[in-house]
């Protein structure tokens, strides 16, 4: 980044979100985003592969948080607690920006191609958590099952967390939802 | 369908799978698929929106099987057992064509755009099962959590079922995996 473009990534992200909300995602071009952020198109492409990736720029960090939570969980943690630690850590990261998360989700809900990309991100998160759990000595099949359930709780809890009438923070919704799934699976 | 094109859908599907395997999915055109099946392009588009949809043609039937299993489960079934019935019924449908399922998965694994579409199909299945479970009187949040966990078990079990060394049938792998997830969620 040159010193004439302080926080170009941040300004591009902000400009993209504003334009997507105002004009619609499909109607917005990279040229317009760059112009609105006061940088060149070339600068845009230094940070993002395309206009879709502006919305998925935080994926790597999210996955990183989840994996590190598994790695740093206490010795002897049960597999499902390793997964719980992972998704709570990811939720804590998103909690920092609830309004951003809501605006982003509104865009995703309105665009099928973004929904598919978001599902791919969740599948990547699930696979990364499964790998991290397996690296703690859990058999791979069990790690995959636990990570899959935990990621689906993370997604279901997300929808509740961004609802207008929800007052709990995201990690708390994740914790409560995990507990609720536990009870559902025990009752049969 | 005209009487000069008996089972055009089946022949188009067969031709597409053969061409995708031989030449690669990206390299195959609708023109080639239609030609190989001995029908016109127009006939192709009567059955499929595009070449991707040939691979997802069974989705509606799969979801239908799952939903009907929920609807016909015994009165008083626990939410997780309604979900279990749904994913076992879906697995029973796929079990009828294991080699087809394996060939299809190999294509999906090789093409990111197909992976995203497949994830979207699974999300649609999960939402349909959640709706069916809620229609049986289960609170929507619990229905969503149970359906999400069940669908993730269904996916994890699929990967095991198509593995070379797996001898159980798909519904059995689903049942065993559901039981394993139950034990994982109880141990903490």
């Amino acid at each position: 980044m040159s010193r004439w473009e302080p926080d170009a990534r941040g300004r591009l992200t902000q400009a993209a979100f504003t334009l997507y909300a105002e004009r619609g995602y499909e109607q917005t071009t990279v040229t317009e985003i760059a112009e609105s952020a006061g940088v060149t198109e070339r600068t845009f492409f230094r940070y993002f592969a395309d206009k879709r990736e502006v919305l998925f720029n935080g994926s790597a960090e999210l996955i990183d948080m989840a994996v590190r939570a598994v790695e740093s969980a206490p010795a002897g943690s049960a597999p499902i607690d390793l997964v719980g630690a992972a998704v709570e850590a990811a939720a804590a990261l998103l909690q920092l920006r609830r309004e951003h998360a809501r605006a982003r989700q509104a865009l995703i809900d309105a665009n099928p191609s973004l929904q598919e990309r978001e599902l791919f991100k969740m599948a990547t998160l699930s696979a990364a958590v499964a790998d991290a759990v397996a690296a703690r000595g859990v058999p791979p099949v069990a790690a995959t099952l636990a990570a899959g359930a935990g990621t689906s709780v993370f997604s279901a809890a997300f929808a509740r967390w961004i609802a207008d009438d929800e007052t709990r923070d995201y990690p708390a919704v994740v914790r409560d939802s995990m507990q609720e799934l536990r009870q559902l699976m025990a009752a049969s």
Side-chain angles (χ1 to χ4, degrees), chain A residues 11-24 28 36 107:
Chain A
R11 280 190 292 136
L12 281 163
T13 303
Q14 185 56 52
F17 269 78
T18 302
L19 289 168
Y20 294 165
E22 280 173 12
R23 307 185 186 182
T28 302
S36 169
L107 286 170

Side-chain angles (χ1 to χ4, degrees), chain A residues 69-70 73 76-88 129 133-134 136 138-139 142-154 174-175 177-183 185:
Chain A
V70 174
S77 296
I80 198 67
D81 291 331
L82 294 174
V83 169
V87 291
E88 276 185 50
V129 170
V133 169
R136 297 276 317 242
V138 175
T144 298
L145 286 169
T151 315
S152 90
V153 165
F154 181 71
V174 165
R175 240 180 344 263
S177 302
M178 196 69 109
Q179 188 53 30
E180 189 168 354
L181 178 59
R182 243 168 224 215
Q183 287 164 356
M185 299 214 66

Side-chain angles (χ1 to χ4, degrees), chain A residues 3-137:
Chain A
R3 60 186 155 152
W4 295 280
E5 292 169 4
D7 192 23
R9 182 197 295 274
R11 280 190 292 136
L12 281 163
T13 303
Q14 185 56 52
F17 269 78
T18 302
L19 289 168
Y20 294 165
E22 280 173 12
R23 307 185 186 182
Y25 169 76
E26 292 293 352
Q27 286 71 45
T28 302
T29 66
V30 166
T31 310
E32 291 166 337
I33 296 168
E35 194 171 300
S36 169
V39 302
T40 62
E41 270 188 71
R42 194 169 152 178
T43 298
F44 177 95
F45 288 115
R46 210 182 299 153
Y47 293 100
F48 306 105
D50 53 41
K51 70 175 183 176
R52 194 170 80 152
E53 290 313 303
V54 180
L55 294 166
F56 295 94
N57 189 44
S59 299
E61 199 188 348
L62 193 77
I63 290 170
D64 206 47
M65 286 294 285
V67 166
R68 276 189 287 161
V70 174
E71 289 167 353
S72 61
S77 296
I80 198 67
D81 291 331
L82 294 174
V83 169
V87 291
E88 276 185 50
L93 182 66
L94 296 190
Q95 176 65 37
L96 301 175
R97 299 202 295 160
R98 182 168 187 254
E99 282 319 306
H100 178 86
R102 291 177 73 148
R104 181 176 174 279
Q105 191 59 40
L107 286 170
I108 289 174
D109 288 343
N111 293 281
S113 83
L114 297 178
Q115 287 163 33
E116 294 191 358
R117 179 69 179 77
E118 177 74 355
L119 291 166
F120 190 75
K121 185 187 89 176
M122 295 307 297
T124 306
L125 172 65
S126 184
V129 170
D131 285 350
V133 169
R136 297 276 317 242

